[in-house]
Amino acid sequence: MQANKNRWLIAVSAIAIHLSIGSVYAYSVYQNPLNESLGWDIGAVTFAFTTAIFFLGMSAAFLGKFVERNGPSKSAMISAVLFGTGTLGAGFGIQMESLPLFILFYGVIGGVGLGIGYISPVSTLVKWFPDRRGLATGMAVLGFGAGSLITSPVAESLMGMISIPATFYTLGVAYLILMFAGASYIAPPPEGWEPASMKKQEQKKKEKKKDTQGDLAQLNARQSLKTFRFYLLWGMMFINISAGIMLLAVASNMTQAITGTSSAAAATIVGIMGFFNGFGRIGWASASDYIGRTNTYMIFFALQLGAFILLPFTTNEIFFAILLFIIMTCYGGGFACLPAYIGDLFGTKQLGAIHGYTLTAWAMAGVFGPMAVSTIVGATADYTDAFVLFIFLLAIALVMAILMHFNIKRIRNQQQVTSG
């Protein structure tokens, strides 16, 4: 643990790692080329993406304690090896025209690398930025959201210039270099470290005799699982992710079906959605430092509830796109606010492990969201019933956020009574 490291360079290192693994959101650029060149069914190709997201969430859950024990640098290096190998191996699977090999490397091996890489820098950043938790985690997962913005055009160009396998080989090497560079610098601060600005603020608060509200508790991962608020948080994340990933799975076709716009215009809207996904991560995470994490999630669900109610009746493509963009900011913001929220609720003792447990919601939602919308649309040839389902779920999530508010308030009151 080194005090002489620059915390902003730590943030840059985290972004380098997340930019690489965030390329998973650019996966759709491979679907048609793989279908056209190898004859692989779109559903089968999509299964590799679903597998990667599932293993992301599950590996984050079960390897969270591993990350805590071994530290962010070693964990991020392991992530680099797994994700880089997964990408390179996926290229080999394509070259061998083997779909099972492609799914094994991209979905399973790459997916485990995704999970370790996603949680490795986050708890470290929270410790380096105790004064701006939301901003810190927002910067990290901004990289994950923005990864597709960089990878999509690069992969598209490479596939046009060289072969599809060579594209995966090139990207795999690039990910290895970028992730190893980030992993080599990232490290936790010394125990009890605080930035100078925070020490000044604390001194001023003491002088003014103001009461401060710190973390709700300092719990380890096992203790957190025994609290009601953990399951409220898990449910909120599951619904927020399900709603966003459902739209990501069908955004282009849905936009064309409801608004009647062209496929080119729909593709442009889908591309811009990636920007708002990334923008929501840094914007909402920064705002949550001022308005509070619980209030932020209540806003998420209120905004999405309104947007999902309006979407099936919106035939104007511009207004339809605006609604999609709003939902995407909430989708990205939910991920960005999560690590800071975990710190608020459970402390930073085992934040990485608790974060991993919570990300099982991502694994489940990554399967549930796309499957729910595809099943409903397949049976009804219409998106209306899918919107009804998610309106119901978002209403439940809003109730959960309100319950979280009162749960936190009750615990704070009990703490005041005990200390008083």
Side-chain angles (χ1 to χ4, degrees):
M1 294 184 288
Q2 302 177 37
N4 61 347
K5 285 185 178 280
N6 185 301
R7 65 174 181 163
W8 295 101
L9 290 179
I10 295 285
V12 171
S13 300
I15 291 171
I17 295 167
H18 272 220
L19 271 174
S20 301
I21 62 175
S23 63
V24 70
Y25 274 163
Y27 184 77
S28 61
V29 301
Y30 306 123
Q31 289 180 324
N32 286 335
L34 289 174
N35 172 256
E36 293 166 2
S37 63
L38 298 176
W40 291 351
D41 180 74
I42 291 293
V45 176
T46 303
F47 181 70
F49 173 76
T50 303
T51 303
I53 296 299
F54 177 80
F55 275 91
L56 185 163
M58 299 310 291
S59 61
F62 291 105
L63 295 174
K65 289 185 178 180
F66 171 85
V67 172
E68 292 287 349
R69 285 196 306 269
N70 291 279
S73 182
K74 182 177 179 181
S75 299
M77 287 183 181
I78 292 171
S79 168
V81 171
L82 289 171
F83 187 68
T85 300
T87 306
L88 293 168
F92 179 68
I94 296 167
Q95 189 169 341
M96 299 300 294
E97 300 186 10
S98 171
L99 180 61
L101 204 58
F102 177 74
I103 293 172
L104 171 66
F105 276 103
Y106 192 91
V108 180
I109 297 173
V112 174
L114 279 169
I116 299 173
Y118 191 87
I119 61 175
S120 292
V122 173
S123 62
T124 302
L125 271 183
V126 169
K127 292 170 185 174
W128 276 106
F129 288 83
D131 51 335
R132 298 293 300 278
R133 281 180 178 171
L135 172 64
T137 57
M139 285 188 292
V141 297
L142 167 65
F144 195 88
S148 65
L149 289 177
I150 297 172
T151 302
S152 291
V154 170
E156 192 78 43
S157 298
L158 285 174
M159 284 189 290
M161 293 186 293
I162 56 180
S163 67
I164 300 174
T167 297
F168 276 86
Y169 296 148
T170 304
L171 291 174
V173 171
Y175 299 150
L176 280 168
I177 294 171
L178 195 58
M179 293 178 74
F180 267 108
S184 64
Y185 188 82
I186 199 166
E191 189 71 30
W193 178 88
E194 287 183 345
S197 60
M198 192 171 179
K199 292 176 181 176
K200 291 178 182 178
Q201 289 174 1
E202 288 178 350
Q203 184 60 37
K204 287 180 181 179
K205 287 176 182 177
K206 287 179 182 178
E207 291 171 359
K208 293 179 181 180
K209 296 182 180 180
K210 285 188 177 179
D211 293 328
T212 59
Q213 289 190 333
D215 299 335
L216 200 61
Q218 289 293 330
L219 306 181
N220 61 35
R222 183 172 296 180
Q223 290 170 330
S224 72
L225 294 177
K226 298 177 181 178
T227 65
F228 179 52
R229 60 187 182 275
F230 174 85
Y231 298 97
L232 285 176
L233 181 59
W234 194 97
M236 288 158 57
M237 287 305 301
F238 173 78
I239 294 173
N240 194 63
I241 296 167
S242 294
I245 214 161
M246 166 270 211
L247 291 180
L248 286 170
V250 299
S252 179
N253 291 342
M254 183 183 65
T255 302
Q256 294 174 63
I258 295 176
T259 68
T261 192
S262 67
S263 59
T268 300
I269 290 171
V270 171
I272 299 173
M273 283 171 66
F275 168 80
F276 281 94
N277 183 355
F279 174 75
R281 292 170 188 252
I282 191 71
W284 283 115
S286 299
S288 74
D289 284 330
Y290 300 97
I291 64 177
R293 247 69 73 174
T294 304
N295 291 335
T296 303
Y297 278 89
M298 282 195 275
I299 293 171
F300 286 163
F301 299 128
L303 285 174
Q304 290 181 92
L305 196 54
F308 269 80
I309 291 171
L310 292 173
L311 275 171
F313 306 105
T314 304
T315 55
N316 181 282
E317 64 183 63
I318 295 176
F319 188 45
F320 191 89
I322 290 171
L323 294 174
L324 291 180
F325 298 157
I326 290 171
I327 294 169
M328 278 299 101
T329 67
C330 298
Y331 174 73
F335 283 114
C337 295
L338 178 60
Y341 203 9
I342 291 170
D344 296 344
L345 296 174
F346 308 107
T348 58
K349 185 188 293 185
Q350 289 191 350
L351 191 150
I354 300 171
H355 189 206
Y357 286 153
T358 312
L359 288 178
T360 56
W362 194 358
M364 300 297 107
V367 176
F368 172 77
M371 281 188 63
V373 67
S374 61
T375 300
I376 292 171
V377 174
T380 65
D382 188 75
Y383 289 93
T384 303
D385 288 344
F387 282 117
V388 171
L389 170 63
F390 282 93
I391 287 168
F392 174 71
L393 290 174
L394 287 164
I396 292 175
L398 181 57
V399 171
M400 286 180 172
I402 294 170
L403 287 174
M404 180 74 87
H405 168 77
F406 285 107
N407 182 262
I408 293 171
K409 187 176 181 181
R410 178 181 60 80
I411 295 171
R412 292 283 187 201
N413 289 337
Q414 289 176 346
Q415 290 172 343
Q416 287 179 359
V417 171
T418 303
S419 62

